[in-house]
Amino acid sequence: MNAASQPLTATMPLDLRGRPLRDLRLSVIEACNFRCPYCMPADRVPDDYGFDSATRLSFDEIETLVRGFAQLGVNKLRLTGGEPLLRKNLPSLVQRLARIPGLDDIALTTNGSLLAAQARALREAGLGRITVSLDAMDPARFRDMTGGRGELSDVLAGLEAARAAGFTSIKINCVVERGINDDQVLPLVSHFRGTGHVVRFIEFMDVGTCNDWSRDRVVPSAELRDRIAAHWPLRALEANYRGEVASRYAFEDGQGEVGFVSSVSAPFCGDCHRARVSADGRLYTCLFAGDGHDLRPALSQGVDALRERVSTIWTRRGDRYSEMRGGVGASRKHVEMFLIGG
């Protein structure tokens, strides 16, 4: 990259805890074709939710937004939802975003059910990485955990299509709930060991307000690590970069690695450099934020105005919910996960 295309280093903001803005998680659609109980439970979110595009950012607005964030130092972009593969012409958006100076990494988080038909187009458009959410290896359990809407075979076909399209080291994210799917941990590890994919186990978090979170249903990462190590010995690995959310462990026999995201038992707020923007253009400075900041007025004025607005918001950020969870000052009003993609 030449000097003229470098992001504007003079305007890179730090928040009140000295954290830079490096990672943008951008929802491209509010809708999802699954109804996972910990995110978008069927009894609380109607089937047609989020398919109305009236309030959704256009591709032009998204490109302007991402250019502004990149000029503030963001070099990692993750497209989320809802289910982002429901957004029409997503590969064309990826192609536009891949040309933005300063972005080193464009990733996608998906439930994988629609991936088989789109994996190659996404790869050719410039998508670098894929994360697939998968909470069970038993087909009946998987169907139940998706609200009766998902078929495990579709997700596995999507993973195979992604591998064939050239995606490597695909991440498999599993949210673990005690008594719900913690018995699926070993089957998931067994299935993906040696494939090059990396399974990551995420502690059940109190994101949003409709998942009936209880600490009793949290399975601490240390417990899961010990369960896995009893079958396949593990050794700790260094983080790939400062602020990486998952703790990494390699199998001693060389058959890959697993990861653990421990927001409840071992909060990592101190290194959090992620911002989240919903599909309707609201900026959330924490996964557990109660309110977002409307970026549309700034967006309508162009990249410079957007950049200044985001910089102002970020420099006032002091979020550290996971460190405070349950303590004084910890709000229980949270944005729903399906609006900002987790």
Side-chain angles (χ1 to χ4, degrees):
M1 184 186 303
N2 60 43
S5 65
Q6 288 279 4
L8 301 180
T9 55
T11 58
M12 290 181 179
L14 298 177
D15 71 5
L16 296 176
R17 306 187 75 204
R19 297 170 294 189
L21 174 56
R22 291 284 185 254
D23 188 327
L24 173 61
R25 305 198 172 186
L26 173 64
S27 174
V28 296
I29 192 168
E30 308 92 329
C32 186
N33 54 339
F34 285 3
R35 284 296 180 270
C36 303
Y38 61 79
C39 177
M40 207 172 185
D43 61 342
R44 304 191 187 187
V45 185
D47 282 352
D48 61 355
Y49 179 85
F51 283 96
D52 178 6
S53 63
T55 62
R56 199 178 302 150
L57 294 181
S58 68
F59 283 5
D60 286 344
E61 289 174 315
I62 288 174
E63 183 176 350
T64 298
L65 183 144
V66 174
R67 285 186 181 277
F69 272 87
Q71 290 179 9
L72 291 173
V74 165
N75 61 359
K76 298 182 66 177
L77 171 66
R78 179 171 292 277
L79 302 178
T80 68
E83 171 45 53
L85 295 184
L86 289 171
R87 182 73 187 253
K88 293 181 179 179
N89 301 316
L90 187 63
S92 68
L93 175 63
V94 171
Q95 188 174 49
R96 293 173 66 165
L97 300 179
R99 295 194 292 259
I100 294 177
L103 282 186
D104 302 323
D105 180 29
I106 302 180
L108 172 81
T109 296
T110 172
N111 63 35
S113 64
L114 305 173
L115 185 56
Q118 300 191 49
R120 188 164 298 280
L122 289 165
R123 184 64 173 170
E124 292 173 353
L127 186 69
R129 295 187 297 117
I130 288 179
T131 298
V132 173
S133 299
L134 178 57
D135 296 323
M137 282 306 300
D138 176 76
R141 184 77 60 82
F142 177 81
R143 192 176 303 113
D144 183 60
M145 293 197 70
T146 60
R149 291 156 172 79
E151 295 296 333
L152 178 63
S153 58
D154 291 339
V155 178
L156 297 180
L159 285 165
E160 175 55 27
R163 184 205 60 76
F167 289 100
T168 58
S169 297
I170 296 171
K171 291 185 173 65
I172 313 294
N173 278 358
C174 173
V175 176
V176 182
E177 297 180 64
R178 192 180 301 279
I180 304 295
N181 69 327
D182 55 323
D183 63 334
Q184 295 296 296
V185 169
L186 296 181
L188 277 160
V189 174
S190 178
H191 184 88
F192 290 107
R193 251 175 49 89
T195 64
H197 303 333
V198 178
V199 182
R200 303 193 305 179
F201 297 104
I202 302 172
E203 293 178 344
F204 177 44
M205 292 181 287
D206 48 338
V207 183
T209 59
C210 63
N211 65 3
D212 297 323
W213 183 82
S214 166
R215 191 176 288 271
D216 292 341
R217 283 158 55 199
V218 177
V219 185
S221 293
E223 179 181 329
L224 293 180
R225 182 197 63 215
D226 291 348
R227 281 196 213 176
I228 295 167
H231 291 262
W232 304 284
L234 300 169
R235 59 180 175 83
L237 295 173
E238 295 293 325
N240 286 312
Y241 54 88
R242 181 176 178 181
E244 185 173 24
V245 298
S247 300
R248 302 169 57 221
Y249 288 82
F251 295 112
E252 290 280 13
D253 63 3
Q255 293 299 299
E257 65 178 82
V258 292
F260 303 93
V261 180
S262 315
S263 176
V264 178
S265 66
F268 39 82
C269 299
D271 282 333
C272 179
H273 44 61
R274 289 168 294 282
R276 294 170 170 84
V277 175
S278 60
D280 62 352
R282 298 188 70 82
L283 168 62
Y284 294 84
T285 56
C286 178
L287 176 60
F288 304 94
D291 297 305
H293 305 267
D294 187 4
L295 298 181
R296 279 188 178 274
L299 264 177
S300 67
Q301 300 175 54
V303 174
D304 291 347
L306 183 280
R307 186 180 66 243
E308 292 304 315
R309 174 66 173 142
V310 172
S311 180
T312 297
I313 294 168
W314 192 262
T315 56
R316 297 171 180 171
R317 174 194 190 232
D319 303 292
R320 56 186 187 96
Y321 174 82
S322 286
E323 293 179 349
M324 301 170 62
R325 183 177 278 109
V328 177
S331 172
R332 189 60 188 95
K333 178 188 176 184
H334 300 161
V335 61
E336 300 300 339
M337 184 187 296
F338 56 82
L339 293 178
I340 55 173

